[in-house]
């Protein structure tokens, strides 16, 4: 079974530029999550989708971050404009259904973003 | 305020010994707790889940305990091997049903020396 795919793996941009990350979840997984992991910290949930609907975006900085999940499969996360403090690893995860906590989340390898 | 704390300092142990990692939390009442392993440059991988009414859970060389009175979970790796070297994250399932989400601790890095 293929895992969660993310691209790019690394991205370096200057502050005030825009950037987009892409995620392809495990086939058949209804729930998709985007996390931000700053160096030395645990992942922090940014947004959670159930199929193509948003169920939790309470920690998403909506003035600069946006995300969409078209057709309930792939998802993109965008930052516009980027700030220095956005430097982090952005992790995508998926799960089969959304009945926490018994549902296992499967994580992708992440995209490491450096903002200069 | 709500907090999840794991040992911030790396844990160094000798191969064959038992590693014990701690996860403490305050101002949460999680019904469930999960442990993940994260290797450098990779995403976390799920290891174990324990419910609030379970005192202990085992899987091969792994053992997790959950004390809701102490607000603490302990994660043990017996007969540790250098391949067990990684960062281990605890995560609380916060909230109920469809509004619940995982809140992660900052992780503890384990180094097992041969």
């Amino acid at each position: 079974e293929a895992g969660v795919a993310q691209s790019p793996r690394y991205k370096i941009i200057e502050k005030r530029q825009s950037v987009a990350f892409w995620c392809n979840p495990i086939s058949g997984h209804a729930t998709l999550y985007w996390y931000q992991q700053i160096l030395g910290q645990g992942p922090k949930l940014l947004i959670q989708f159930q199929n193509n609907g948003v169920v939790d975006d309470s920690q998403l900085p909506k003035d600069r971050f946006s995300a969409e999940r078209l057709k309930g499969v792939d998802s993109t996360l965008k930052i516009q404009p980027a700030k220095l403090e956005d430097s982090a690893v952005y992790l995508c995860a998926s799960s089969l259904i959304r009945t926490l906590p018994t549902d296992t989340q499967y994580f992708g390898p992440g995209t490491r973003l450096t903002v200069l | 305020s709500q907090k999840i704390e794991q040992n911030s300092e790396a844990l160094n142990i000798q191969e064959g010994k038992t590693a014990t990692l701690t996860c403490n939390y305050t101002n949460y009442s999680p019904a469930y707790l999960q442990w993940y392993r994260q290797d450098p440059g990779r995403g976390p991988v799920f290891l174990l889940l324990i419910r609030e009414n379970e005192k202990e859970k085992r899987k091969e060389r792994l053992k997790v305990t959950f004390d809701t009175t102490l607000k603490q979970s302990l994660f043990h790796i017996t007969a540790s091997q250098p391949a067990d070297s990684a960062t281990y994250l605890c995560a609380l399932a916060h909230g109920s049903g469809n509004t619940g989400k995982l809140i992660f601790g900052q992780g503890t890095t384990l180094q097992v020396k041969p």
Side-chain angles (χ1 to χ4, degrees):
Chain A
E1 173 181 83
V4 176
Q6 289 189 248
S7 68
R9 289 297 314 277
Y10 306 92
K11 190 74 177 178
I12 300 174
I13 61 172
E14 296 192 349
K15 60 184 179 185
R16 291 187 288 272
Q17 285 188 322
S18 302
V19 65
F21 313 126
W22 174 81
C23 173
N24 181 237
I26 293 173
S27 177
H29 279 197
T31 308
L32 186 146
Y33 313 79
W34 282 102
Y35 288 87
Q36 179 192 59
Q37 186 173 24
I38 293 171
L39 188 64
Q41 298 182 19
K44 183 182 87 170
L45 181 68
L46 293 175
I47 189 166
Q48 181 175 347
F49 292 94
Q50 176 80 2
N51 297 310
N52 59 349
V54 175
V55 293
D56 187 343
D57 63 356
S58 57
Q59 296 194 92
L60 187 74
K62 298 180 187 64
D63 57 334
R64 298 183 300 105
F65 286 64
S66 65
E68 61 181 7
R69 189 182 184 197
L70 298 176
K71 300 179 182 178
V73 182
D74 293 5
S75 177
T76 56
L77 176 71
K78 296 179 182 176
I79 307 176
Q80 180 180 5
K83 292 186 175 180
L84 296 177
E85 59 261 35
D86 298 332
S87 293
V89 174
Y90 290 85
L91 294 162
C92 179
S94 69
S95 61
L96 187 58
I97 51 177
R98 189 168 168 261
T99 53
L100 279 177
T102 58
D103 197 26
T104 299
Q105 293 188 27
Y106 296 86
F107 285 82
T111 296
R112 181 176 296 278
L113 174 67
T114 302
V115 182
L116 303 175
Chain B
S1 63
Q2 296 173 319
K3 261 191 201 177
I4 303 171
E5 289 187 351
Q6 298 185 248
N7 313 54
S8 56
E9 291 185 13
L11 179 64
N12 295 296
I13 63 167
Q14 207 64 35
E15 182 177 7
K17 302 291 186 185
T18 296
T20 298
L21 286 67
T22 305
C23 177
N24 295 299
Y25 58 93
T26 55
N27 296 324
Y28 283 109
S29 295
Y32 308 87
L33 189 146
Q34 300 184 15
W35 283 87
Y36 286 77
R37 169 184 172 141
Q38 187 171 26
D39 291 283
R42 295 179 179 266
V45 174
F46 172 79
L47 295 175
L48 279 170
L49 176 151
I50 186 166
R51 295 171 172 78
E52 62 176 342
N53 61 352
E54 296 176 319
K55 296 233 183 288
E56 182 180 298
K57 199 81 168 278
R58 291 176 184 262
K59 179 182 174 184
E60 297 172 353
R61 295 184 296 111
L62 308 181
K63 184 178 87 171
V64 172
T65 62
F66 191 10
D67 189 325
T68 55
T69 302
L70 292 178
K71 295 187 180 295
Q72 181 181 78
S73 175
L74 298 179
F75 178 81
H76 307 271
I77 306 175
T78 58
S80 59
Q81 304 165 1
D84 295 326
S85 299
T87 296
Y88 291 87
L89 300 157
C90 71
L92 306 182
H94 180 56
S96 60
N98 287 339
T99 63
K101 62 186 179 186
L102 285 181
I103 312 293
F104 283 85
Q106 78 270 35
T108 297
T109 298
L110 172 66
Q111 187 71 35
V112 181
K113 297 181 180 177

